Amino acid sequence: MKEQLETIQQEALAKIEDAEGMTSLQDIRVAYLGKKGSITKVLKGMGQLSPEERPVIGEMANKVRNIITEAIEEKAAKLEGAALNEQLESETIDVTLPGRKVNVGGPHLLTSIVEEIEDLFIGMGYEIKEGPEVETDYYNFEALNLPKDHPARDMQDSFYITNELLLRTHTSPVQARTMESYKGERPFKMICPGKVYRRDSDDATHSHQFTQIEGLLVDKNVRMSDLKGTLDKFAKQMFGKDREIRLRPSYFPFTEPSVEMDISCKVCNGDGCSVCKGTGWIEILGGGMVHPKVLEMGGYDPSVYSGFAFGMGPERIAMLKYGVSDIRSFYMNDIRFLKQYHHA
Ligand code: 2NL
């Protein structure tokens, strides 16, 4: 039995030495150390031995098992190291290959225009305010001097949710809310950009959803000339320092007196062309002195405070500034249109 174990040890060590991969190593483990392996077989035959021989052979069998186990583990570590080296060599990465192109988007043209206008008014000390797009009848109409029988309140012209709730038709409710929040106690200046909604059949110049920016300044002794100076600065910064403005009388329910502002046509410099329809002037926005009733409803005493307000459509500003001919282009999300303005 002693000889048998010695042969087993020699044989096993030679096979382990020659093993070329993990699978053959595993086969060797099973053949020698497994339940039906050679060493187990020897141990099973120990019953025939004398009581003196048994512990000697038992100890030897254990030694042989340990030697073989150790040899297998050593060889396994060697084989794994070799496999890793081979993998590292075969999988070298070519860092000189050009990378895949990532398409980076940019702000929408309308976003750029709104931000440009915001920056301009922030520079004049204005706050930016936002408000809800689902508004109450009170803030959208009543507080702005648009009483119950006013034609602008026609069901046909607005998206009503209930009798008292609707999608705001202008950003003016934000101004009404701002006046209310300041409780008639302090002067302020703010602009409010945002989405507004009107029932309309969409075409090249109409959209049922569009954006607005309105401004409101309330203080003591505010005059029409303050409005004119502010709008002149806005026009020159937005459209170029050579632009002239002119104010024409107009009507809005929340201002009195009310005006519309034109800028001199950039294309013909005021001589008259197809862009300005021969007039030399292009309409940009509306405004006026805040109606005393609106001040009062906002909590400001009209005998102490006065103010000016104005409103404009960023779509129209963008169309004039960049020659966009169809308002629907802003909402169709045609990537060819959007891409043209990523520099803007
Ligand atoms: C336009 C004209 C305008 C206002 C908006 C306003 C708001 C309050 C008080 C007074 Cl709370 N006025 N807003 C005033 C005049 C004109 O917008 O053509 N917008 C596109």
Side-chain angles (χ1 to χ4, degrees):
M1 256 183 191
K2 228 172 158 184
E3 277 155 32
Q4 231 177 321
L5 281 170
E6 270 164 14
T7 322
I8 288 172
Q9 179 175 332
Q10 272 171 21
E11 237 184 65
L13 290 181
K15 280 190 183 163
I16 291 168
E17 175 75 36
D18 291 346
E20 276 174 359
M22 294 301 280
T23 35
S24 43
L25 205 56
Q26 185 59 20
D27 290 345
I28 296 168
R29 185 198 300 277
V30 173
Y32 289 92
L33 309 176
K35 269 185 201 152
K36 292 176 186 166
S38 331
I39 293 189
T40 318
K41 256 183 218 159
V42 172
L43 291 174
K44 272 183 186 162
M46 278 191 0
Q48 301 154 6
L49 296 173
S50 68
E52 297 81 43
E53 275 177 314
R54 240 176 259 163
V56 181
I57 296 297
E59 198 192 325
M60 191 175 169
N62 272 336
K63 246 187 212 161
V64 171
R65 198 208 320 259
N66 288 343
I67 288 169
I68 294 174
T69 306
E70 227 167 82
I72 287 176
E73 274 166 14
E74 227 170 80
K75 181 72 180 193
K78 238 189 235 171
L79 286 175
E80 272 171 11
L84 182 62
N85 278 338
E86 201 173 297
Q87 193 185 11
L88 285 175
E89 262 166 48
S90 68
E91 289 183 3
T92 48
I93 296 165
D94 182 356
V95 292
T96 65
L97 271 177
R100 286 197 194 90
K101 193 168 176 269
V102 177
N103 280 316
V104 179
H108 191 280
L109 172 57
L110 268 181
T111 307
S112 302
I113 290 280
V114 169
E115 285 178 355
E116 193 179 344
I117 297 170
E118 282 178 4
D119 284 349
L120 201 156
F121 280 99
I122 286 171
M124 291 195 267
Y126 283 65
E127 292 178 84
I128 315 278
K129 291 278 187 186
E130 286 182 356
E133 288 174 24
V134 176
E135 258 301 358
T136 60
D137 177 276
Y138 176 78
Y139 286 115
N140 196 75
F141 294 126
E142 202 77 35
L144 296 160
N145 198 29
L146 284 146
K148 291 263 187 263
D149 57 355
H150 197 282
R153 296 175 70 147
D154 198 317
M155 293 291 282
Q156 297 302 313
D157 297 326
S158 312
F159 291 110
Y160 276 87
I161 290 154
T162 65
N163 268 342
E164 287 302 314
L165 282 179
L166 74 159
L167 295 182
R168 66 181 181 193
T169 57
H170 44 193
T171 49
S172 316
V174 184
Q175 295 164 298
R177 285 171 177 277
T178 303
M179 273 193 280
E180 201 180 78
S181 74
Y182 289 149
K183 298 182 165 44
E185 284 163 1
R186 68 173 186 90
F188 67 90
K189 39 188 170 178
M190 53 85 83
I191 62 164
C192 47
K195 291 198 267 288
V196 301
Y197 305 85
R198 290 182 196 174
R199 267 164 79 146
D200 226 331
S201 301
D202 294 3
D203 62 26
T205 53
H206 296 83
S207 171
H208 62 281
Q209 179 208 302
F210 53 102
T211 57
Q212 234 187 11
I213 298 184
E214 286 187 76
L216 174 65
L217 178 148
V218 175
D219 204 341
K220 290 169 184 165
N221 304 314
V222 181
R223 296 170 300 177
M224 189 74 138
S225 55
D226 297 317
L227 173 63
K228 191 175 179 184
T230 303
L231 294 181
D232 186 59
K233 191 156 177 80
F234 163 74
K236 286 182 164 65
Q237 281 201 36
M238 205 65 199
F239 295 99
K241 60 177 173 22
D242 297 333
R243 293 306 99 212
E244 296 293 334
I245 66 159
R246 85 175 175 186
L247 300 181
R248 285 179 287 106
S250 185
Y251 169 79
F252 299 106
F254 18 75
T255 44
E256 179 61 35
S258 302
V259 294
E260 263 162 313
M261 182 187 88
D262 302 332
I263 59 166
S264 56
C265 180
K266 200 172 190 156
V267 177
C268 61
N269 215 9
D271 293 341
C273 67
S274 62
V275 173
C276 58
K277 298 191 189 81
T279 64
W281 295 95
I282 295 171
E283 189 186 321
I284 296 289
L285 54 76
M289 304 309 290
V290 182
H291 196 290
K293 275 193 189 164
V294 174
L295 280 173
E296 205 169 336
M297 281 185 281
Y300 281 82
D301 181 350
S303 68
V304 179
Y305 282 94
S306 49
F308 66 69
F310 54 87
M312 67 185 99
E315 283 87 350
R316 184 170 167 76
I317 307 278
M319 287 166 94
L320 289 170
K321 198 165 168 169
Y322 295 103
V324 178
S325 55
D326 193 324
I327 196 169
R328 290 169 293 194
S329 311
F330 294 111
Y331 304 106
M332 300 286 272
N333 284 336
D334 184 331
I335 195 78
R336 294 165 299 180
F337 171 79
L338 299 174
K339 264 187 178 169
Q340 290 179 67
Y341 303 102
H342 278 178
H343 61 283

